[in-house]
Amino acid sequence: MKYFGFLLASALPLALAYEYRVGVGKDETTGRKGMGFDPSVIHPQAGDSIVFEFRSGVHSAVQSSFDNPCVSNGGFNSGVFTVSDDLAVDAPGLPISRVLVNGTESLWFFDEAGGLCYRGAVLAVNPTAAQSEVVFKENAALPPKPATTTSPAASSTSGATATGTPTANSDNVSSGNNSNSSPGTVNTAWAAVMGALFGGLAVMA
Ligand SMILES: *[C@@H]1O[C@H](CO)[C@@H](O)[C@H](O)[C@H]1NC(C)=O
Ligand SMILES: *[C@@H]1O[C@H](CO)[C@@H](O)[C@H](O)[C@H]1NC(C)=O
Ligand SMILES: *[C@@H]1O[C@H](CO)[C@@H](O)[C@H](O)[C@H]1NC(C)=O
């Protein structure tokens, strides 16, 4: 059942690509110039695109991660846009930056140039129950973590962010010590299930 739904969903949207227009530097509650993204949550499908539209001030849209909302994960970066204060909030011809959505996994963005990520200048794309836009915003309010986590989005893009010594607040991050569980302790019943699953797949391949 699950597989059928997945295949169906991934086959359909090709012909129906949609643009999600997201204001940067626009307060979604007032509709006026302000902090953050309008809207701050969107649910695009693969093949859709996100069009960031920059309002007055200095703004950028930068991809981050759920756990570390205010630090680039090395993914999409719109670059910095500076828009005159003279322009009305929805003036025609505002500068835009476009990013294609390639899958249905969650994507996370923040306004790096605007500098108010910690106050909630963030965008959640396809959040889930386990990784919700509400907790994403809560994470944004926490001090940024050193780039050592292995979140799915950030794992493959270890780039130029290593800057030497860790920062002063090396408190034990709440994630506990699940990062290096030894393979020897894997529950054998679980291993058997996984073995059956992947064994079956391997035979088909
Ligand atoms: C989707 O793929 C295109 C082409 O490879 C890439 O430019 C874009 O950044 C990708 N989108 C995301 C959100 O990673
Ligand atoms: C962090 O964990 C280590 C080892 O468990 C412990 O010695 C240290 O006191 C902890 N630091 C804080 C700030 O909790
Ligand atoms: C991780 O958990 C193990 C087993 O519960 C414990 O012995 C170890 O001290 C923990 N390490 C840290 C860094 O908390």
Side-chain angles (χ1 to χ4, degrees), residues 3 10 19 37 50-51 59 61 65 67 79 93 114-115 126-127 131 139 149 156-157 168 171 174 187 200:
Y3 258 96
S10 62
E19 269 187 15
F37 294 80
I50 305 167
V51 177
H59 299 288
S65 61
D67 290 327
N126 288 323
Q131 295 194 326
N139 288 346
T149 53
S156 62
T157 55
D171 51 330
S174 57
N187 175 301

Side-chain angles (χ1 to χ4, degrees), residues 107-186:
L107 304 172
W108 314 99
F109 296 89
F110 71 112
D111 181 356
E112 183 171 50
L116 296 175
C117 176
Y118 70 99
R119 283 179 52 193
V122 293
L123 167 68
V125 179
N126 288 323
T128 63
Q131 295 194 326
S132 69
E133 66 273 24
V134 174
V135 177
F136 181 50
K137 269 193 189 181
E138 290 171 2
N139 288 346
L142 301 172
K145 299 171 187 171
T148 55
T149 53
T150 56
S151 84
S155 58
S156 62
T157 55
S158 63
T161 49
T163 55
T165 52
T167 44
N169 55 347
S170 57
D171 51 330
N172 292 332
V173 184
S174 57
S175 57
N177 68 5
N178 54 4
S179 53
N180 43 7
S181 55
S182 104
T185 62
V186 172

